[in-house]
């Protein structure tokens, strides 16, 4: 191991930014917070990018590791113990000074602090807490902070970090449990899900007692609400409701029935989720099981989880507990999983863990490790791109994973984006009449997005629309024309509602799929409507 | 009706000029189809057209207030933001956009803001979007330098197309409430001055003041190198993608960004 004993601050930045750069989440969204007297900074609900790196990714936060030393040996990671790379460690004061000084110059929105595992998970989490404690109390930093919860760290430390951080994340690492066993042998699904559940419960408790504190619900939550579906996090309540139903509360009983029937609607997905390990505690003893799987959710047990927040009176609670919510990321293409497995896991994370965001990271074989696939970058990145598109459909448009993929068809179409692909499979629902269709029906039209749909809904109240007007509202005509009529008229008489015909035309229009829908979705924070800030 | 000449209201090329012209046009009752508003930029030459009559508009605060009051009271705050965004923009048709938008607005009320199938409303909508977008870019792509310690003073330079200082100052005066700072809008010769824990104001600068501030804003300081190091190392080399980077951060925004300046 190469130690940089007397590394300068500049050398440390180089090493520890290098080591952090593969983490894909760098958003600063999710909490609106005004400044506070005597403190530096505020926070903007939809997040702010400050620059774009040479790879085209947004730079929003000072994304660094506290240290890149690590006792673990995850096969896919540059920092693993068996690698011979330069190592460095910040002091808490260095982290604080850099954050504050970068922030004052408007280089960044705040800090994203992660770390390799030094000594033990607890020791590492304590280092992270030390840095954040200083940053909030001594350096009086009031801007955005994102930190990792280290799997296996004690719940006390995870809680403390949650009072300083705006967002926390625990990396799921790999979509399947098997993949985790093979590639990250020191981690288990349970160790990963335990802090995730703790943070979810803590957030719920904090919101109930302190209010939202400028935080907002996830886009997924808003979409489910709009569609009248069960809300994420309600699953948690279902447990209580189940308890009170036993005590004879009829209304709560109904709610539980609803949950149960929602669950019965998708037995296949349930199976899929079990397979991917999000539901691992199902294998527990039968009593445990009856309690823990109520309403379809699984609560990891032990470690005092579920006992709730314990540090109310020791800590400054004015920012709330993890007000910007939690996110996670998984590596795609390292362990042979299907897109369907990934989307099922994603959906389960949104529903059962109330996550704000799930990020996907196309696997890069940084270690040239033989246990790992040698894949070419391009197809994998296209796959990652499709996953982000599908994720977007889940969060904003109300699609369900089972509508997009199935066990029989577990991969996304490489040539067509998931929304077009879905529409082509459901031509019986088209064409849609633009003047009368509901907002949600409009959203399902290829070429119409959330912004154009809401503009259409507003504008048609003030008068009749035509195709020219639709174009002006941001509708992508070359896609939409096959699927809409406006005032009973097709745009061109010769258009046919025919799968082959439309597919051919769409592909013709769409030679470079990477350029069409959403590089933006992947990389840039959606300033207007991420986390549901509709602009106009 | 074809023999009625088009009447052009010529005004100063600034917010007060344009809104004063909107006022004059509005009370004239001349018929909105025959009215145009032309802000006269200092160095441009305007040709006289046939069948056109010209009216010179004197700017006045009363005229401006009267227009803005009417928008707020008779239409809505949303309409007010359409008007203000157009007024701070630099498009030569902004006066027309405001005037025509308002003729619809006074009959439709707040709904006018959604009626983007009407061409002039769409234009006002578009201008507002562009101004907001630019303002948002300059919340992102603006860098301060600490040019003095004890008391610390931060200076930033921007070169926006529109007069967006007031819009972004709302943001920075909250974020950096406890700092002394200055944002120089180099192209327009204006700067916003913020006092520590106090107010801010936008001032029109003399050429010397502008030059002095611009030089001050280029001063070297220690965090520049640290930031550049971070910027370089946070990119994934295998994923180098200059085209995407350019799409996201167009070259003309990079002019004053620390990480893109060679020093
Ligand atoms: S725990 Fe695994 S992924 Fe994290 S730094 Fe260590 S080796 Fe890398």
């Amino acid at each position: 191991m190469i130690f940089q004993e007397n590394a300068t601050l500049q050398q440390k930045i180089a090493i520890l930014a290098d080591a952090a750069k593969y983490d894909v989440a760098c958003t600063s969204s999710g909490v609106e917070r005004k400044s506070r007297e005597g403190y530096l900074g505020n926070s903007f609900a939809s997040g702010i990018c400050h620059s774009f790196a040479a790879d085209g990714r947004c730079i929003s936060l000072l994304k660094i590791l506290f240290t890149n030393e690590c006792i673990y040996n995850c096969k896919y990671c540059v920092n693993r113990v068996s690698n011979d790379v330069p190592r460095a460690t910040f002091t808490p004061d260095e982290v604080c000074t850099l954050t504050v000084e970068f922030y004052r110059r408007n280089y960044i929105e705040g800090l994203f602090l992660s770390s390799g595992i030094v000594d033990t998970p607890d020791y590492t989490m304590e280092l992270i807490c030390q840095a954040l404690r200083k940053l909030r109390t001594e350096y009086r930093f009031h801007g955005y902070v994102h930190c990792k919860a280290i799997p296996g760290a004690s719940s006390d430390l995870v809680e403390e970090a949650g009072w300083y951080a705006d967002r926390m994340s625990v990396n799921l690492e790999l979509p399947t449990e098997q993949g985790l066993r093979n590639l990250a042998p020191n981690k288990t699904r349970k160790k990963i899900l335990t802090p995730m559940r703790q943070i979810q419960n803590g957030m719920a408790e904090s919101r109930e007692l302190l209010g939202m504190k400028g935080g907002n619900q996830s886009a997924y939550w808003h979409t489910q609400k709009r569609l009248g579906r069960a809300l994420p996090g309600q699953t948690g309540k279902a447990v209580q409701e189940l308890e009170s139903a036993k005590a004879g509360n009829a209304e709560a009983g109904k709610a539980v029935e609803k949950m149960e029937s929602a669950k019965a609607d998708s037995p296949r997905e349930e199976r899929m989720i079990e397979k991917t390990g999000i539901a691992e505690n199902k294998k527990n003893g039968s009593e445990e099981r009856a309690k823990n799987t109520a309403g379809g959710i699984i609560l990891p047990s032990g470690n005092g989880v579920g006992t709730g927040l314990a540090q109310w009176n020791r800590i400054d609670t004015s920012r709330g507990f993890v007000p910007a919510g939690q996110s996670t990321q998984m590596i795609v293409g390292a362990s042979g999983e299907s897109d369907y497995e990934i989307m099922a896991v994603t959906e389960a994370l949104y529903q059962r863990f109330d996550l704000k965001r799930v990020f996907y990271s196309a696997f890069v074989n940084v270690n040239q490790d033989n246990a790992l696939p040698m894949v070419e970058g391009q197809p994998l990145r296209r796959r990652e791109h499709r996953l982000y598109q599908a994720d977007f459909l889940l969060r904003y448009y109300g699609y369900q994973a089972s509508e997009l993929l199935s066990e029989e068809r577990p991969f996304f179409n490489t040539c067509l984006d998931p929304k077009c692909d879905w529409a082509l499979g459901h031509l019986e629902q088209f064409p849609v009449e633009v003047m009368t269709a509901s907002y949600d029906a409009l959203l399902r039209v290829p070429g119409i997005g959330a912004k154009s749909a809401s503009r259409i809904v507003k504008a048609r109240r003030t008068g009749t629309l035509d195709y020219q007007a639709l174009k002006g509202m941001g509708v992508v005509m070359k896609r939409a024309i096959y699927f809409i009529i406006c005032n009973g008229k097709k745009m061109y008489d010769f258009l046919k509602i025919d799968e082959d015909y439309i597919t051919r035309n769409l592909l013709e229009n769409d030679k470079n799929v990477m350029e069409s829908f959403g590089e933006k979705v992947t990389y840039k924070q959606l300033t207007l409507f991420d986390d549901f800030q509709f602009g106009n | 009706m074809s023999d009625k000449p088009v009447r052009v209201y010529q005004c100063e090329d600034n917010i007060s000029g344009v809104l004063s012209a909107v006022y004059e046009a509005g009370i004239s009752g001349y018929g909105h189809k025959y009215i145009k508003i032309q802000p006269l930029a200092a160095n441009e030459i305007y040709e006289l057209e046939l069948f056109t009559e010209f009216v010179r508009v004197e700017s006045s605060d009363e005229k401006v207030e009267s227009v803005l009051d009417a928008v707020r009271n008779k239409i809505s705050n949303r309409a007010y933001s359409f008007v203000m965004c157009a007024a701070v923009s630099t498009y030569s048709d902004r006066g027309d956009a405001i005037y025509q938008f308002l003729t619809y607005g006074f009959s439709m009320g707040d709904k006018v803001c959604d009626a983007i199938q009407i061409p002039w409303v769409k234009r006002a909508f578009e201008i507002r979007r562009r101004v907001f977008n630019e303002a948002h870019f300059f919340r992102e792509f603006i860098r301060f330098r600490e040019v003095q310690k004890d008391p610390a003073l931060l200076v930033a330079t921007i070169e926006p197309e529109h007069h967006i200082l007031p819009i972004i100052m709302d943001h920075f005066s909250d974020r950096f409430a406890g700092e002394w700072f200055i944002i120089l809008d180099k192209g327009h010769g204006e700067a916003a001055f913020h006092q520590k824990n106090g107010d801010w104001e936008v001032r029109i600068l003399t050429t010397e003041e502008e030059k002095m501030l611009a030089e001050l804003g280029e001063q070297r300081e220690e965090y520049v190198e640290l930031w550049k190091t971070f910027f370089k190392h946070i990119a994934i080399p295998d994923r180098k993608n200059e085209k995407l980077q350019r799409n996201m951060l167009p070259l003309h925004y990079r002019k004053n960004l620390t990480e893109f300046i060679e020093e």
Side-chain angles (χ1 to χ4, degrees):
Chain A
M1 227 183 269
I2 309 153
F3 280 99
Q4 298 274 326
E5 286 285 345
N6 297 310
T8 63
L9 192 51
Q10 191 164 354
Q11 286 166 327
K12 286 188 186 181
I13 292 175
I15 292 171
L16 293 166
D18 256 332
K21 70 181 173 221
Y22 291 102
D23 209 297
V24 280
C26 189
T27 55
S28 53
S29 56
V31 62
E32 180 83 16
R33 185 167 59 228
K34 288 279 163 205
S35 64
R36 172 176 175 187
E37 214 188 321
Y39 284 74
L40 168 71
N42 61 14
S43 175
F44 196 64
S46 51
I48 296 182
C49 297
H50 285 268
S51 194
F52 286 87
D55 52 16
R57 295 187 307 164
C58 148
I59 300 177
S60 184
L61 302 170
L62 172 62
K63 181 164 66 176
I64 41 172
L65 297 194
F66 191 88
T67 175
N68 66 338
E69 281 177 46
C70 191
I71 53 169
Y72 288 170
N73 206 33
C74 307
K75 292 209 169 68
Y76 47 83
C77 175
V78 248
N79 304 318
R80 62 184 188 175
V81 65
S82 61
N83 275 12
D84 194 16
V85 294
R87 308 268 172 179
T89 302
F90 280 124
T91 66
D93 280 303
E94 284 169 339
V95 171
C96 296
T97 310
L98 282 176
T99 305
V100 164
E101 296 303 332
F102 278 16
Y103 190 85
R104 291 176 69 226
R105 288 155 177 81
N106 207 46
Y107 299 162
I108 54 167
E109 272 307 281
L111 172 67
F112 180 175
L113 190 60
S114 178
S115 183
I117 316 290
V118 237
D119 208 7
T120 63
D122 264 355
Y123 182 73
T124 311
M125 200 66 218
E126 170 56 29
L127 287 176
I128 291 178
C129 279
Q130 257 180 39
L132 298 191
R133 193 184 304 134
K134 254 183 192 279
L135 185 63
R136 291 298 195 196
T137 56
E138 276 175 45
Y139 289 76
R140 302 190 148 235
F141 179 68
H142 203 54
Y144 196 88
V145 172
H146 177 168
C147 83
K148 293 271 167 205
I150 305 291
S154 77
S155 58
D156 278 358
L157 290 166
V158 172
E159 183 188 337
E160 187 180 352
W163 288 112
Y164 304 128
D166 291 297
R167 173 163 291 183
M168 288 186 82
S169 55
V170 193
N171 286 353
L172 198 65
E173 311 290 6
L174 295 152
T176 64
E177 213 179 347
Q178 186 59 41
L180 200 63
R181 264 198 296 274
N182 293 343
L183 303 181
N186 308 88
K187 297 177 183 166
T188 65
R189 196 57 126 206
K190 186 175 172 193
K191 273 194 201 154
I192 291 169
L193 293 180
T194 299
M196 220 185 248
R197 179 67 80 211
Q198 184 196 343
I199 294 163
Q200 177 193 9
N201 291 344
M203 278 167 52
E205 202 179 325
S206 165
R207 284 171 174 177
E208 209 168 303
L209 294 162
L210 301 173
M212 295 296 282
K213 292 287 178 191
N216 48 27
Q217 298 283 8
S218 65
Y220 187 84
W221 187 94
H222 282 279
T223 302
Q224 301 307 305
K225 184 163 185 224
R226 197 182 71 230
L227 294 166
R229 299 190 192 140
L231 296 176
Q234 271 190 348
T235 45
K237 255 190 224 147
V239 180
Q240 293 161 12
E241 279 165 356
L242 183 63
E243 298 295 327
S244 51
K246 278 189 203 143
N249 180 335
E251 205 155 285
K254 256 185 245 149
V256 173
E257 257 171 52
K258 219 162 91 196
M259 292 289 319
E260 292 291 334
S261 64
K263 182 184 151 192
D265 279 347
S266 51
R268 221 177 231 185
E269 257 170 276
E270 286 294 321
R271 261 202 334 262
M272 181 61 67
I273 288 158
E274 272 176 57
K275 194 171 147 204
T276 52
I278 292 285
E280 69 164 24
N281 279 34
K282 276 198 173 170
K283 292 180 201 93
N284 282 356
S286 62
E287 232 202 301
E288 208 29 84
R289 177 176 160 168
K291 192 161 153 241
N292 284 348
T293 62
I297 64 146
I298 321 305
L299 297 168
S301 50
N303 260 355
V305 171
T307 56
L309 301 170
Q311 301 175 22
W312 297 97
N313 41 20
R314 285 206 279 116
I315 246 171
D316 173 13
T317 59
S318 66
R319 285 175 308 267
F321 183 84
V322 198
Q326 64 172 327
S327 63
T328 192
Q329 69 169 19
M330 50 182 131
I331 300 165
V332 173
S335 56
E337 69 292 329
S338 71
D339 290 344
Y340 183 44
E341 284 172 304
I342 295 172
M343 289 324 292
V345 168
T346 296
E347 194 167 58
L349 290 169
Y350 286 139
Q351 276 169 3
R352 296 158 193 229
F353 288 82
D354 193 17
L355 288 202
K356 266 286 175 51
R357 286 293 304 270
V358 174
F359 293 92
Y360 312 90
S361 157
F363 170 65
V364 185
N365 198 341
V366 281
N367 297 326
Q368 309 295 313
D369 193 305
N370 291 335
L372 292 164
M374 294 306 294
V375 271
E376 285 166 64
Q378 202 54 29
L380 207 48
R381 291 185 43 197
R382 183 155 307 179
R383 189 173 168 205
E384 177 193 283
H385 180 68
R386 289 276 175 259
L387 290 167
Y388 275 109
Q389 291 179 319
D391 180 82
F392 196 81
L393 296 181
L394 255 50
R395 289 189 300 131
Y396 287 94
Y397 295 1
Y399 288 79
Q400 289 166 309
S402 56
E403 289 181 272
L404 301 173
L405 295 169
S406 63
E407 255 168 76
E408 295 74 41
R409 215 174 62 86
F411 287 94
F412 287 114
N413 188 329
T414 43
C415 305
L416 281 173
D417 71 70
K419 189 174 168 184
C420 279
D421 203 26
W422 176 86
L424 286 168
H426 295 82
L427 286 177
E428 74 287 353
Q429 302 189 18
F430 297 99
V432 159
E433 169 57 60
V434 176
M435 286 303 292
T436 54
S438 69
Y439 175 74
D440 288 296
L442 289 172
L443 277 185
R444 293 205 166 212
V445 176
I448 297 183
K451 251 191 223 169
S452 41
S454 77
R455 283 179 192 159
I456 290 171
V457 170
K458 284 186 202 158
R460 72 188 181 193
R461 283 190 214 123
T462 69
T464 311
L465 309 180
D466 58 20
Y467 283 102
Q468 195 53 37
L470 291 180
K471 215 170 174 178
M473 292 172 194
V475 175
V476 184
M477 288 312 225
K478 62 181 185 189
R479 279 158 193 260
I481 46 171
Y482 307 100
F483 304 97
I484 52 174
I485 47 174
C486 187
N487 293 305
K489 286 193 292 275
K490 286 193 260 186
M491 184 151 168
Y492 304 113
D493 280 339
F494 56 79
L495 295 175
K496 285 183 282 185
I497 295 266
D498 171 88
E499 188 173 347
D500 289 339
Y501 170 76
I502 302 175
T503 310
R504 230 177 313 117
N505 285 311
L506 286 176
L507 289 177
E508 193 57 31
N509 267 326
D510 209 24
K511 294 232 168 63
N512 188 352
V513 282
M514 287 300 278
E515 251 176 9
S516 53
F517 180 95
E519 293 265 58
K520 291 201 175 186
V521 175
T522 317
Y523 296 114
K524 174 154 174 150
Q525 299 179 21
L526 291 155
T527 42
L528 284 173
F529 60 121
D530 194 27
D531 295 319
F532 250 67
Q533 290 268 309
F534 277 107
N536 301 300
Chain B
M1 69 176 251
S2 59
D3 51 352
K4 187 166 168 175
V6 169
R7 184 187 285 174
V8 178
Y9 287 86
Q10 295 184 315
C11 59
E12 283 184 294
D13 188 26
N14 55 34
I15 300 176
S16 148
V18 169
L19 291 176
S20 297
V22 168
Y23 173 85
E24 295 282 348
I27 60 165
S28 71
Y30 191 67
H32 61 87
K33 290 210 174 69
Y34 301 99
I35 283 180
K36 285 183 81 50
I37 292 176
Q38 188 178 54
L40 293 177
N43 306 320
E44 292 200 28
I45 295 160
Y46 296 91
E47 282 184 32
L48 287 173
E49 291 161 51
L50 288 177
F51 305 111
T52 303
E53 62 182 60
F54 292 90
V55 178
R56 268 315 289 258
V57 177
E58 293 302 317
S59 305
S60 90
D61 290 349
E62 289 79 59
K63 292 175 190 169
V64 172
E65 279 314 309
S66 151
V67 171
L68 295 180
D69 280 350
V71 177
R72 268 183 301 229
N73 299 331
K74 299 202 184 120
I75 310 180
S76 67
N77 283 338
R78 200 151 63 115
Y80 175 78
S81 101
F82 275 66
V83 170
M84 281 314 286
C85 282
V88 303
S89 80
T90 51
Y91 297 112
S92 58
D93 66 345
R94 66 192 186 279
D96 293 326
I98 296 174
Y99 175 72
Q100 303 289 348
F101 171 79
L102 289 179
T103 60
Y104 289 103
F106 286 127
S107 65
M108 290 173 81
D110 177 57
K111 276 197 306 193
V112 69
C113 305
D114 295 322
I116 50 182
Q117 70 276 22
I118 302 170
W120 274 117
V121 175
K122 187 179 156 222
R123 178 67 182 140
F125 184 87
E126 203 174 88
I127 292 177
R128 175 168 170 268
R129 205 186 62 220
R130 293 200 177 194
V131 168
F132 275 162
N133 281 351
E134 184 173 58
H136 190 71
F137 275 132
F138 283 105
R139 284 185 198 112
E140 306 179 321
F141 309 138
I142 171 173
R143 304 284 175 262
F144 288 86
R145 288 185 187 225
E146 193 177 62
V147 300
Q148 174 190 301
K149 290 190 163 135
D150 286 325
L153 172 63
L154 300 164
V155 176
T157 302
I158 56 174
E159 292 174 67
E161 186 179 348
H162 308 294
H163 300 263
I164 48 132
L165 275 179
I167 306 179
I168 63 171
M169 278 307 284
D170 258 0
H171 172 74
F172 287 110
S173 63
D174 185 67
R175 168 159 296 199
F176 299 143
E179 305 275 359
W180 294 90
F181 68 89
I182 302 172
I183 301 175
L184 166 66
D185 176 343
K186 209 167 160 188
H188 298 122
E190 320 170 327
F193 295 79
H194 179 266
Q195 295 181 13
K196 181 173 180 165
N197 300 321
D199 289 338
W200 58 269
E201 56 176 6
V202 174
R203 281 188 230 154
I204 311 286
L205 304 173
T206 64
T207 324
E208 293 85 79
E209 285 171 333
E210 188 179 348
K211 197 165 155 251
M212 200 198 78
L213 269 181
E215 275 167 19
L216 200 60
E218 287 167 7
Q219 200 166 300
R220 299 216 55 163
E221 55 136 348
E222 63 177 312
Y223 283 93
V224 168
E225 279 315 306
L226 296 178
W227 168 239
K228 285 182 172 175
T229 305
F230 176 77
F231 181 75
K232 183 170 151 222
H233 286 269
I234 204 65
I236 300 176
D238 288 348
R239 283 195 159 203
K240 194 164 164 112
N241 189 342
E242 279 174 1
K243 196 171 151 226
L244 181 60
Q245 190 190 26
R246 245 196 333 271
N247 285 344
M248 295 316 218
L249 178 40
L251 297 174
H252 71 272
Y253 286 111
R254 300 184 188 180
K255 218 165 144 191
N256 296 295
L257 290 186
T258 311
E259 61 271 30
F260 293 100
I261 299 172
E262 307 266 344
E263 4 193 326

